[in-house]
Amino acid sequence: MKFDILTLFPEMFQALNQSIIGRAKEKGLIEINLINIRDFSKDKHKKVDDTPYGGGAGMVMKADVIYDAYKSIDSNDAKVIYMSPQGKKLDQSKVVELSNESHLILLCGHYEGIDQRVLDKIVDEEISIGDYVLTGGEIPAMVLIDSVSRYKEGVLSNESVKEESFSNGMLEYPQYTRPEVFENVKVPEVLLSRESQGNRKMEKRKIN
Ligand code: 4FV
């Protein structure tokens, strides 16, 4: 699976070189390409934004610069996603849906946002990670890459994690591991019994 990231701050994505996602990149299970939007500014000061028409506070990212950056990508098979608070909320079902794509282009905004004309021209879908306003779309893009990549074959060593029931479990009930006693608090007895090993769903009912 290939991710092309259109961003003003490629260095922020160093975080994806760590841990499970970093190993997935090394194994070639996922590919992450960083395209620095600023490289496509024709302005001698490398300008990428300007004041909004109609007035108002803040700056808007320029349509022509972003479009030139987008055209530098071979986007034939790609779905273009704009990370935006106005987008559809990213949830587990959307993550699973996106994990079936082979190529995603993620557009990361900054400032007050991006000129609507280039969004209308290139974006297939707007996705939000939550109803709050961040300073940029880079962290939302990393959230999407992390959550989607864990569904790719071979990224997670424990195949059972990909079973729907298990990942639901991750969202529904508490987890315990050694030591058996922590600050005088024991692991629930029901999880210690021999017959409960390997069947968490059954144990979930007993605990709740
Ligand atoms: C956001 C979110 C988000 C809004 C202005 C970037 C910022 C700036 N993206 N989910 N919540 N984006 O707040 O995805 O352009």
Side-chain angles (χ1 to χ4, degrees):
M1 181 171 201
K2 179 159 76 168
F3 298 92
D4 283 311
I5 318 290
L6 291 164
T7 175
L8 287 173
F9 299 98
E11 62 277 6
M12 288 182 71
F13 291 85
Q14 288 300 313
L16 297 181
N17 295 329
Q18 310 299 322
S19 186
I20 292 172
I21 302 299
R23 284 196 292 278
K25 284 171 65 177
E26 286 165 12
K27 291 193 280 188
L29 297 170
I30 60 172
E31 179 187 340
I32 298 177
N33 302 310
L34 302 170
I35 297 96
N36 189 337
I37 294 167
R38 196 173 297 280
D39 294 344
F40 294 84
S41 171
K42 296 186 177 67
D43 174 84
K44 62 178 182 302
H45 301 298
K46 306 304 273 180
K47 193 173 178 52
V48 296
D49 61 338
D50 210 327
T51 53
Y53 281 114
M59 303 291 273
V60 175
M61 290 178 73
K62 294 165 62 62
D64 52 345
V65 178
I66 287 178
Y67 190 52
D68 287 346
Y70 165 75
K71 286 188 293 183
S72 74
I73 301 168
D74 175 3
S75 58
N76 288 333
D77 60 345
K79 178 188 277 269
V80 181
I81 295 173
Y82 172 45
M83 304 311 299
S84 161
Q86 287 86 29
K88 181 180 183 324
K89 200 68 60 50
L90 183 67
D91 59 14
Q92 198 67 11
S93 60
K94 173 59 78 175
V95 166
V96 174
E97 178 196 316
L98 292 175
S99 71
N100 294 315
E101 296 287 337
S102 58
H103 183 191
L104 294 177
I105 296 175
L106 305 183
L107 173 59
C108 303
H110 261 266
Y111 320 119
E112 292 311 301
I114 294 177
D115 186 306
Q116 189 61 42
R117 291 170 294 179
V118 71
L119 298 179
D120 294 342
K121 195 170 181 64
I122 69 170
V123 172
D124 297 309
E125 191 171 358
E126 294 193 8
I127 289 180
S128 169
I129 62 166
D131 292 335
Y132 36 78
V133 181
L134 301 167
T135 56
E138 282 76 14
I139 291 174
M142 286 188 267
V143 166
L144 187 147
I145 291 168
D146 186 296
S147 56
V148 169
S149 297
R150 64 191 292 279
Y151 268 85
K152 299 310 293 177
E153 200 68 38
V155 171
L156 294 181
S157 53
N158 177 354
E159 285 310 295
S160 66
V161 175
K162 290 195 328 180
E163 286 166 30
E164 202 46 43
S165 58
F166 186 89
S167 59
N168 284 343
M170 295 285 278
L171 302 175
E172 286 175 16
Y173 51 83
Q175 304 285 343
Y176 300 87
T177 187
R178 294 176 183 79
E180 194 174 311
V181 180
F182 167 70
E183 295 285 305
N184 297 322
V185 179
K186 256 177 79 66
V187 171
E189 201 59 42
V190 71
L191 294 177
L192 299 175
S193 58
R194 187 170 301 282
E195 66 274 6
S196 73
Q197 298 316 308
N199 184 348
R200 297 177 185 199
K201 208 149 181 67
M202 181 266 286
E203 293 325 308
K204 174 189 152 207
R205 279 195 295 276
K206 285 188 184 174
I207 294 171
N208 292 344

